Amino acid sequence: HVRINAVQLHNAIRKTIGMDHAPDDPTHRLTYVNAVAKLIDGVEAETINFASVSDERATARRTLMTIAQMLKHLDGSEPIRFLIAECDTSFTLLTALYFARLFGIADRIDISPLFETRTALERGAEIIAGALAVPAFRDYLRSRGRICIETGYSDAGRYMGQPAACALIEKIRLGLVEVLGAH
């Protein structure tokens, strides 16, 4: 289990795709999603070593590179849950998939959004649907054979209260049934 924040993924991809606005900005959202989808389709895995991990400045890239090293040198038999806190957009999931493919670990990690903010709890199934609209993400989930999500009861309770959070979490579950059935 490894955890990072969504903003760390956004910062890691920002220069690569020329991201000047928030990933969910309605005037730029589709441009950013298309840019990262194109990167996923054309990515070739990089060879990394401990020196390249040490030299990396972006937290998200360094974390995924460390996962690659863990799988290579410690225990490659168990998948790693890659938890993304404050995941409010499908762009974040696609960015995680891009870096997972870049470092050759997409077949060994479960990209798992943590739906804990009000936005994520209200739009959880929609966020997954947005990622599934990209063929590479559908292929990724099919190859993994599962989808992993987490919901944040404690943070959700802080943002909106436990009863409301519980209702929205159930809405996500029901929405995922429909979304996954459609794909």
Side-chain angles (χ1 to χ4, degrees):
H1 177 121
V2 176
R3 179 191 182 277
I4 65 166
N5 290 334
V7 73
Q8 292 169 315
L9 281 165
H10 302 164
N11 289 339
I13 196 97
R14 187 172 305 282
K15 288 182 183 176
T16 306
I17 63 169
M19 192 169 87
D20 296 327
H21 303 285
D24 60 347
D25 180 329
T27 61
H28 294 87
R29 180 178 52 232
L30 190 56
T31 301
Y32 297 151
V33 166
N34 289 337
V36 78
K38 187 175 178 179
L39 286 174
I40 293 168
D41 289 339
V43 70
E44 292 186 29
E46 291 182 359
T47 302
I48 61 165
N49 55 42
F50 287 110
S52 57
V53 174
S54 179
D55 291 343
E56 180 56 53
R57 294 180 53 156
T59 301
R61 288 177 55 96
R62 188 174 54 250
T63 300
L64 283 154
M65 293 165 84
T66 300
I67 292 171
Q69 293 298 85
M70 288 167 49
L71 290 167
K72 187 185 330 178
H73 298 291
L74 299 177
D75 183 5
S77 65
E78 291 294 321
I80 293 179
R81 173 83 41 100
F82 185 65
L83 181 64
I84 306 168
E86 300 176 356
C87 186
D88 293 347
T89 70
S90 56
F91 170 80
T92 306
L93 299 175
L94 296 171
T95 300
L97 179 58
Y98 165 69
F99 286 124
R101 284 195 175 175
L102 181 65
F103 301 125
I105 58 173
D107 62 334
R108 313 277 288 291
I109 68 168
D110 292 318
I111 297 169
S112 178
L114 173 55
F115 297 139
E116 60 187 328
T117 65
R118 182 182 187 118
T119 300
L121 287 167
E122 290 173 346
R123 298 181 50 228
E126 184 181 325
I127 292 167
I128 299 296
L132 286 169
V134 175
F137 197 82
R138 286 195 307 270
D139 293 343
Y140 160 75
L141 282 185
R142 283 188 186 111
S143 72
R144 295 298 304 143
R146 64 180 163 231
I147 184 168
C148 298
I149 68 162
E150 292 191 34
T151 54
Y153 281 102
S154 62
D155 284 341
R158 182 181 69 207
Y159 288 122
M160 64 181 59
Q162 290 297 332
C166 290
L168 289 172
I169 289 167
E170 189 61 25
K171 180 182 169 191
I172 290 171
R173 289 181 187 150
L174 295 172
L176 281 177
V177 171
E178 291 179 29
V179 167
L180 293 173
H183 290 283

